[in-house]
Amino acid sequence: MQYNFKEIESRWQQYWADNHTFHSEFPSDKPKFYALTMFPYPSGAGLHVGHPLGYIACDIYARFKRHQGYNVLQPMGYDSFGLPAEQYAIQTGQHPAITTEANIARYREQLDALGFSYDWSREVRTSNPRYYRWTQWVFMQLFDSWYDREAGKARPIEELVDRFESGGNAAVDAVCDADTPDFSASDWQGFDQADQQRMLLKYRLTYLAEAEVNWCPELGTVLANDEVVNGVSERGGFPVVRKKMTQWMMRITAYAQRLLDGLDEIDWPQPLKDAQTNWIGRSVGASVIFKTVPNAHQAESFDIEVFTTRPDTIFGASFMTLAPEHELVARITTPGQQEEVRAYIEATSRRSERDRMADVKTVSGAFTGAYAAHPLTGEPVPVWIGDYVLAGYGTGAVMSVPCGDQRDYDFAKHFGLPIPNIFEGVSIEEAAYEEKDGVVIAQSDFISGLGREAATRKVIDALEEKGLGKGTINYRLRDAVFSRQRYWGEPFPVYYDADGLPRLLPEHCLPLELPEVEKYLPTETGEPPLGNATRWAWDTEREAVVENTRIDRKTVFPLELNTMPGWAGSSQYFNRYMDPGNDQALVSEEAIGYWEDVDLYIGGSEHATGHLLYSRFWQKFMYDRGWVPKEEYAQKLINQGMILGTSALMYRKSGTQTYLSKGLAEQENVDAIRVDVGLVNASDELDLAGLKEWQPQYADAEFVGEDGKFYVARDVEKMSKSKYNVVNPDDICEEYGADALRMYEMFLGPLEQSKPWNTAGLSGVYGFLKKFWRLFHQGPDRTFEVLDDTPAAADLKTLHKTIKKVTEDIEAFSFNTSVSTFMICVNELTASNCRSRAVLEPLVVLIEPYAPHMAEELWHQLGHGESVAREAYPVYEEKYLVESSKEYPISFNGKMRFTMELPLDMSKEDIEKAVLANEKTRQQLAGRTPKKVIVVPGKIVNIVG
RNA sequence: GCAGGCGUGGUGGAAUUGGUAGACACGCUAGAUUUAGGAUCUAGUGCCGCAAGGUGUGUGAGUUCGAGUCUCUCCGCCUGCACCA
């Protein structure tokens, strides 16, 4: 029987499905193992060979753990809300649910062809109402919670109400909006219902706020910071502008410190941890209050709060700079400066985020005419505005210390402001002195002569005493915008009451399903697409969605028109897999009590500051409220690298229809044009007939080849349809089989690394699989033949060596080297013509994670009735590996000269004696006595002469 | 600018963590077989050299009996953040 992968693979895929081979047990007495890969967004393009890389690695590990006796949970699902399906709906009118359904069917087909051991009975889809009711449920719990700083955790909002009743908000140390006023218990009791709700909104973990957001006009929606890359949208690359809008926000900043601390507990890649640390951006310093000096135009004094990481340089502060958007600017600007300030603010607001970032060199600003009192000296310092100060960071205002900060220095130079030097023995003629360590402060009253740390402490003490500042920790992390002006997302379970305040729907009314709409675009009045729905109002008496026309704000109220962002659905999906059918809870206590958390999570590093941060935040919240037992949901995470495409480029003589083979293009003026990689063979030779068929425009073009052949150039870049470099896994499965594809993807290189795809290399692993098959099938007809004889010692050694190495490699996620180990093993067994069942049978189990179809086939040919997936993993025995002697490399002064066979159980001293007595050694030494002999048992002998 | 990472044959990549560098595979060369092959098998393949031998892990130094591996310098590349006070 020849190795017929097509027949084998489809047969066993069917068998696994029919026998539910990979269903996870629950309840179970076995130890659990939860292996997870980030679920895909089902795009219209289907999978390319890059996508399954992480899935294959995860599947290998899951199968390995299953052999080791673990009850493995390896689920798969779809992150099926998202922009592309909606953009497609806008263009074609096709409901996104239909597009999504079709895409999922295609994904499923492709995934099934690769032989993954998923428990498909646990599939989740974020766009399925039975799933997203739990996304809505988490949102409601966040709405009904506040963050207690004292306890360091989230608590139910009723507890906060109780505290306000008895002691106002002075008694509470809670995370809240910056503009929250102080109120007493009697103030609280005096508030009417609406005011109380308004106040609570300042404390809720999800809240409405007028926020400066990233607005993308092209997409018609706001974007989160992590969805904006270099000032343009991550999806589509459209320009993004700043805009003030009322939006749902997530108070993730309450968790900033815990999100940092948690990183120490988990085994995640360092670069990813660094990215999160950076994004959270903790900096220790002080907040300082500068009071504006009243003048003829402004009798009132305002507090300008600034944040600084260098309180020690406070005596060098010679002016202040506010962000142009700072709220005090309008109030403190003097009439004389009004025109200049107004013009400047207008000029900055006209600039897009991108322009502002691109041009960091130009110094610009304007004087407000106001002065503020230096908190320690009382001296008046001028208050300026400048766009180098960002409204979104710290307080949006800085104390400018030109001698210690280059930006302040440049600003001062440009506008001729004073630059006092407060550093001992340092020149600031050319630039600011930004070195932090080893500075000695001078000209600074009571801190002169001190170093940075001592000075910082004293300054903070002095500020606190005066009530003009305190030591604080500032985070770069902002609260996350949670509203999207889109159709294809989770609706908020929220309506607006007679006072226009947000109210939650009763929990038993979930899910609040997406309404049908005629158009998926924003309405003519600029409302989000849900505004197009005619049935989108909430009747509080009937507890049902009703026609908009009935909105009377007595019993029928408007529903929220925004939808949730993409990351909402992916922030708890890993817990939902544990109990996907549950309609009473996101996950039952029993299920999460058993499965607890993800043992292995594999996914791309592009989610570092998006999904992987938000999901940690939600998990911590769930933990605080007692719904999940673990504060971190993924103990180990691996970032798989990207598989890149190898684009094929042909050269066209500029301005002509003449195309040149690669070697002829050097001297010419040419344009590079991408062609389909499928038309190019392993030697970079282009199939011209195929090309003309692919794009008829080339039919009449002239092609100049080299020796009758036309060669293309290669370029490694991201795999994408538009670059014609996409390789489809279906085609590879067709030609080489799923097992070959699985092994090759692993063989390509280290899992974490990005690497280019090269179909030509597949012949290596394909040949290996055929050789493996031939170990079990003899003769020209390949008849199955395995003997029950006593295996040769050398073959047993090969087997146990392979078990040891492959096991170690899997545990270290070095899948590429384990494939090499298999290849060496097969080469050795082929050379010795091994036919012994005792050697071959364990190998079938060993290779099952990598080539499950072939393993299953061989396992059954070996006479077993059960699936090989259930078989115990082979354990290597040391006794087969021990050697009695070894070739020692003998080196002189570190330079290898010859080898010498020596017994392994020889003592250091005996080895030394034996080596020195050796004829070759004496020749090398030529009569001299060696200074020293270094012997590492089993390894090496070095003679120093 | 800040943070992190990387640099090994023509190519993808190994190297028991300080102990014979280049495993394994692609590609290439030669040969065998076949009507033919992008099939199969055998041998070779870091570089220089006919050979003996020399040389070799981006550069230069250092530690060590011994360095791809550890330390420092410089060069180059990649990733994330970036006017973050």
Side-chain angles (χ1 to χ4, degrees):
Chain A
M1 191 185 172
Q2 301 289 342
Y3 172 47
N4 182 349
F5 59 83
K6 266 187 212 165
E7 190 262 328
I8 292 170
E9 291 180 357
S10 61
R11 177 146 46 90
W12 294 113
Q13 281 163 13
Q14 193 59 49
Y15 173 90
W16 296 328
D18 293 346
N19 290 277
H20 310 293
T21 309
F22 304 116
H23 276 219
S24 320
E25 295 171 23
F26 182 80
S28 169
D29 297 332
K30 289 187 192 168
K32 65 99 186 186
F33 191 88
Y34 186 1
L36 182 66
T37 38
M38 291 179 187
F39 61 171
Y41 172 77
S43 83
L47 293 173
H48 62 63
V49 288
H51 294 111
L53 180 72
Y55 306 162
I56 295 167
C58 192
D59 191 51
I60 288 173
Y61 206 82
R63 285 173 179 269
F64 168 68
K65 282 293 179 183
R66 207 174 277 120
H67 285 305
Q68 289 192 327
Y70 286 88
N71 179 28
V72 171
L73 169 56
Q74 197 200 7
M76 184 45 95
Y78 306 95
D79 191 10
S80 46
F81 272 136
L83 279 177
E86 183 164 355
Q87 295 292 67
Y88 189 73
I90 290 169
Q91 286 160 20
T92 64
Q94 170 99 282
H95 195 289
I98 297 170
T99 320
T100 303
E101 185 75 30
N103 291 350
I104 286 177
R106 167 110 180 88
Y107 263 62
R108 178 63 191 271
E109 211 174 282
Q110 289 188 296
L111 290 170
D112 280 346
L114 293 173
F116 294 121
S117 63
Y118 296 135
D119 181 350
W120 281 109
S121 71
R122 291 171 179 269
E123 180 196 295
V124 302
R125 300 178 183 187
T126 56
S127 60
N128 182 334
R130 280 190 68 196
Y131 175 87
Y132 70 66
R133 78 164 272 176
W134 296 107
T135 310
Q136 293 173 334
W137 177 84
V138 179
F139 169 84
M140 289 170 62
Q141 307 315 312
L142 283 154
F143 185 82
D144 272 343
S145 300
W146 61 291
Y147 198 87
D148 183 353
R149 266 212 192 96
E150 212 177 328
K153 63 182 228 181
R155 290 172 174 279
I157 200 85
E158 303 88 68
E159 288 185 20
L160 186 67
V161 175
D162 288 349
R163 298 235 209 153
F164 286 169
E165 291 282 344
S166 57
N169 68 351
V172 181
D173 187 8
V175 179
C176 61
D177 291 359
D179 62 357
T180 311
D182 290 340
F183 56 83
S184 65
S186 56
D187 289 342
W188 174 258
Q189 287 152 16
F191 290 161
D192 64 17
Q193 179 72 12
D195 281 338
Q196 288 190 347
Q197 285 303 320
R198 261 180 218 114
M199 205 54 78
L200 286 177
L201 206 48
K202 294 178 183 295
Y203 288 84
R204 297 180 188 275
L205 288 183
T206 181
Y207 60 99
L208 278 171
E210 171 94 342
E212 181 106 338
V213 295
N214 306 304
W215 173 254
C216 179
E218 215 79 20
L219 294 170
T221 188
V222 300
L223 298 170
N225 286 343
D226 66 278
E227 292 168 326
V228 181
V229 180
N230 291 327
V232 298
S233 67
E234 190 188 21
R235 280 199 185 263
F238 303 118
V240 172
V241 295
R242 305 291 294 175
K243 190 177 171 184
K244 279 222 163 185
M245 288 176 77
T246 298
Q247 300 285 302
W248 282 101
M249 306 287 288
M250 282 281 162
R251 221 179 279 282
I252 189 173
T253 49
Y255 285 87
Q257 189 60 50
R258 283 171 64 191
L259 287 167
L260 275 180
D261 296 342
L263 292 174
D264 296 335
E265 317 285 307
I266 48 182
D267 182 8
W268 286 21
Q270 197 54 44
L272 196 152
K273 287 186 178 184
D274 291 339
Q276 291 206 348
T277 305
N278 221 319
W279 188 261
I280 295 168
R282 181 184 199 263
S283 50
V284 181
S287 86
V288 186
I289 291 165
F290 285 64
K291 286 182 179 294
T292 57
V293 181
N295 56 33
H297 312 283
Q298 182 55 270
E300 206 181 330
S301 171
F302 296 101
D303 286 359
I304 304 177
E305 190 182 348
V306 303
F307 174 76
T308 176
T309 53
R310 297 290 304 275
D312 56 316
T313 64
I314 194 165
F315 288 96
S318 55
F319 60 102
M320 299 187 71
T321 314
L322 311 189
E325 300 89 344
H326 197 280
E327 54 171 6
L328 284 177
V329 173
R331 294 205 255 174
I332 62 173
T333 303
T334 57
Q337 292 302 109
Q338 222 131 47
E339 188 44 39
E340 196 187 329
V341 166
R342 195 200 54 77
Y344 182 67
I345 292 174
E346 212 203 292
T348 33
S349 66
R350 255 207 317 271
R351 299 171 77 193
S352 74
E353 193 76 339
R354 193 173 208 185
D355 292 343
R356 217 163 135 172
M357 284 197 307
D359 161 41
V360 295
K361 294 266 153 58
T362 318
V363 178
S364 68
F367 180 43
T368 63
Y371 287 83
H374 188 286
L376 295 182
T377 66
E379 293 286 316
V381 297
V383 180
W384 285 69
I385 59 172
D387 70 357
Y388 79 96
V389 177
L390 305 172
Y393 182 74
T395 60
V398 298
M399 63 173 208
S400 300
V401 184
C403 67
D405 183 292
Q406 193 56 43
R407 295 155 306 174
D408 294 342
Y409 186 91
D410 294 340
F411 196 85
K413 274 266 146 110
H414 189 262
F415 290 107
L417 293 158
I419 306 177
N421 188 357
I422 48 131
F423 300 117
E424 188 78 62
V426 166
S427 164
I428 52 156
E429 281 299 301
E430 295 297 320
Y433 186 72
E434 293 187 307
E435 196 62 48
K436 292 182 182 91
D437 298 315
V439 291
V440 177
I441 306 293
Q443 319 281 333
S444 295
D445 195 1
F446 59 94
I447 55 166
S448 294
L450 296 178
R452 183 167 68 102
E453 283 179 34
T456 299
R457 261 197 314 276
K458 284 198 135 183
V459 166
I460 290 173
D461 287 348
L463 288 169
E464 282 178 355
E465 202 172 303
K466 291 190 166 203
L468 289 176
K470 57 179 193 292
T472 44
I473 294 162
N474 195 46
Y475 298 92
R476 198 184 73 99
L477 186 70
R478 304 286 85 202
D479 277 346
V481 180
F482 197 67
S483 303
R484 296 291 182 276
Q485 292 68 43
R486 305 294 302 192
Y487 173 76
W488 193 230
E490 298 87 351
F492 285 82
V494 166
Y495 68 90
Y496 290 91
D497 69 11
D499 296 305
L501 290 167
R503 297 290 187 144
L504 294 180
L505 266 49
E507 202 178 306
H508 67 266
C509 295
L510 296 185
L512 175 62
E513 293 197 31
L514 270 173
E516 294 299 322
V517 293
E518 290 283 309
K519 293 188 310 175
Y520 301 96
L521 282 168
T523 65
E524 272 149 34
T525 52
E527 282 175 333
L530 291 193
N532 291 317
T534 50
R535 244 182 107 74
W536 197 241
W538 186 250
D539 186 327
T540 49
E541 285 189 339
R542 291 172 51 200
E543 296 196 326
V545 178
V546 295
E547 304 288 328
N548 296 359
T549 48
R550 293 181 45 206
I551 290 176
D552 57 11
R553 291 194 161 76
K554 292 190 186 82
T555 58
V556 179
F557 299 97
L559 279 157
E560 170 68 64
L561 297 179
N562 285 293
T563 53
M564 299 186 196
W567 58 267
S570 58
S571 290
Q572 280 292 295
Y573 80 111
F574 38 85
N575 288 331
R576 186 64 181 167
Y577 278 134
M578 298 172 185
D579 197 8
N582 194 334
D583 286 328
Q584 305 306 309
L586 192 154
V587 52
S588 73
E589 220 172 294
E590 298 77 47
I592 203 159
Y594 174 70
W595 295 110
E596 287 188 319
D597 56 4
V598 177
D599 295 280
L600 173 65
Y601 195 22
I602 296 184
S605 59
E606 68 271 22
H607 298 106
T609 53
H611 159 62
L612 289 173
L613 195 62
Y614 298 128
S615 54
R616 288 183 62 223
F617 156 49
W618 277 31
Q619 179 76 3
K620 283 178 190 294
F621 165 72
M622 294 287 287
Y623 172 80
D624 285 355
R625 295 295 310 271
W627 290 301
V628 300
K630 294 281 180 103
E631 193 170 341
E632 293 289 344
Y633 70 89
Q635 286 312 304
K636 169 137 188 104
L637 184 135
I638 291 180
N639 288 130
Q640 92 275 19
M642 219 186 324
I643 291 188
L644 302 164
T646 314
S647 304
L649 305 167
M650 63 177 183
Y651 294 110
R652 180 179 62 197
K653 260 185 165 168
S654 295
T656 70
Q657 279 300 308
T658 305
Y659 297 84
L660 301 175
S661 181
K662 187 189 171 190
L664 307 171
E666 299 225 341
Q667 309 295 324
E668 306 277 348
N669 189 10
V670 291
D671 307 318
I673 295 164
R674 289 195 190 84
V675 296
D676 193 330
V677 281
L679 299 168
V680 180
N681 72 7
S683 328
D684 291 352
E685 198 187 322
L686 182 64
D687 169 9
L688 291 176
L691 177 79
K692 288 171 184 174
E693 206 174 301
W694 175 58
Q695 285 194 351
Q697 49 165 324
Y698 294 118
D700 303 325
E702 189 193 344
F703 292 88
V704 185
E706 300 167 72
D707 303 329
K709 288 173 177 176
F710 191 91
Y711 295 100
V712 295
R714 295 291 201 161
D715 191 18
V716 172
E717 53 195 353
K718 215 169 157 175
M719 234 182 234
S720 109
K721 229 178 173 176
S722 63
K723 294 182 177 123
Y724 306 120
N725 61 2
V726 172
V727 180
N728 192 312
D730 305 356
D731 298 342
I732 304 292
C733 282
E734 183 68 19
E735 201 169 342
Y736 300 93
D739 286 342
L741 176 65
R742 290 170 64 108
M743 288 210 108
Y744 185 54
E745 294 225 355
M746 292 299 103
F747 183 68
L748 220 45
L751 183 58
E752 296 91 334
Q753 206 169 293
S754 289
K755 54 240 161 195
W757 177 264
N758 171 20
T759 305
L762 249 162
S763 62
V765 285
Y766 184 60
F768 157 77
L769 286 171
K770 282 197 280 191
K771 279 191 212 164
F772 194 93
W773 180 261
R774 267 184 251 135
L775 287 175
F776 297 78
H777 299 87
Q778 271 287 48
D781 297 333
R782 300 277 162 230
T783 38
F784 179 77
E785 186 188 317
V786 169
L787 308 174
D788 287 310
D789 61 355
T790 310
D795 292 337
L796 281 170
K797 189 175 162 188
T798 298
L799 169 68
H800 287 267
K801 198 172 70 182
T802 305
I803 297 172
K804 183 171 191 238
K805 184 69 170 39
V806 169
T807 310
E808 285 168 359
D809 284 344
I810 293 183
E811 278 164 352
F813 301 96
S814 304
F815 301 112
N816 57 330
T817 52
S818 56
V819 176
S820 296
T821 308
F822 279 122
M823 288 177 174
I824 295 166
C825 172
V826 167
N827 288 342
E828 285 177 9
L829 295 181
T830 302
S832 75
N833 196 28
C834 173
R835 300 274 146 211
S836 301
R837 173 180 284 268
V839 172
L840 298 181
E841 199 167 273
L843 277 179
V844 173
V845 183
L846 200 68
I847 207 168
E848 188 267 350
Y850 294 84
H853 308 89
M854 175 187 267
E856 195 74 273
E857 173 69 20
L858 292 172
W859 191 247
H860 284 76
Q861 288 190 7
L862 283 162
H864 300 277
E866 277 279 292
S867 168
V868 65
R870 303 265 171 232
E871 191 63 21
Y873 201 73
V875 178
Y876 73 90
E877 288 178 54
E878 202 68 56
K879 67 176 176 188
Y880 295 112
L881 300 177
V882 271
E883 299 167 53
S884 56
S885 65
K886 201 189 158 176
E887 288 277 321
Y888 274 76
I890 312 295
S891 56
F892 289 81
N893 294 322
K895 189 150 282 197
M896 221 277 277
R897 292 295 159 173
F898 60 93
T899 60
M900 192 175 159
E901 179 137 4
L902 290 165
L904 270 171
D905 53 5
M906 228 181 178
S907 72
K908 262 188 173 185
E909 290 71 25
D910 290 342
I911 294 172
E912 193 177 326
K913 269 183 220 157
V915 170
L916 288 175
N918 185 283
E919 183 57 31
K920 285 181 187 161
T921 312
R922 284 211 231 104
Q923 276 174 22
Q924 288 287 336
L925 286 169
R928 287 167 301 181
T929 35
K931 267 195 208 147
K932 202 167 151 192
V933 180
I934 289 111
V935 179
V936 182
K939 281 187 180 168
I940 196 160
V941 177
N942 189 21
I943 299 162
V944 188

